[in-house]
Amino acid sequence: ETGVTQTPRHLVMGMTNKKSLKCEQHLGHNAMYWYKQSAKKPLELMFVYNFKEQTENNSVPSRFSPECPNSSHLFLHLHTLQPEDSALYLCASSQRDRESNEQFFGPGTRLTVL
Amino acid sequence: GQNIDQPTEMTATEGAIVQINCTYQTSGFNGLFWYQQHAGEAPTFLSYNVLDGLEEKGRFSSFLSRSKGYSYLLLKELQMKDSASYLCAGTDSNYQLIWGAGTKLIIKP
């Protein structure tokens, strides 16, 4: 257990569905992240929130919409996804004012888009 | 540009030693992470190197050469449970992580 939880662990959705991924961190960190992990590719940073404010959006399509209501919770709202969006979506948290910025990861949500 | 390179896959024998290399190019480099990720699980932290040299933690050691843009992870006395992917990540000037694609390590009896 890393102190970061994600739900659901697995999700299958059609291209017209709307769903949300949830992440919660119990570590008192001030930064949270969404990553996409596809087979044999580097982790792709999608969004970064520092103190609940979005500081990074790495050219992510608008069909992915993040929400950070407080420093412990992070959501990723999904709508009209494409089959190529099928991947493992990882949430992470860190304490950004520590020099190392070590990130702690949740177990991920395995998303399949049909 | 920013780039992290590491081998895609390596195979080693139980009880042996294996070295996983990583080369990096990041703007404003601060340090280098190694994470372990078992299939279907979250990446977990192994090491963080800021200074040149070797840091040892039990069976695992990590080395950094800032002048060469090079790091390696050394795993000794390999066990079957060490079969996993090993992710190298460099930090840029904002301490943002730039990730490699990971090295899948297969341990054979």
Side-chain angles (χ1 to χ4, degrees), chain A residues 50-68:
Chain A
N50 281 341
F51 297 101
K52 302 186 301 174
E53 290 187 11
Q54 184 176 309
T55 58
E56 298 265 348
N57 174 345
N58 283 359
S59 305
V60 179
S62 60
R63 57 186 184 268
F64 294 92
S65 173
E67 178 190 357
C68 188

Side-chain angles (χ1 to χ4, degrees), chain A residues 3-22:
Chain A
V4 182
T5 58
Q6 288 186 245
T7 55
R9 293 294 306 275
H10 300 272
L11 179 62
V12 179
M13 59 188 288
M15 291 167 61
T16 58
N17 292 157
K18 287 185 182 181
K19 296 285 184 184
S20 295
L21 310 185
K22 179 182 175 182

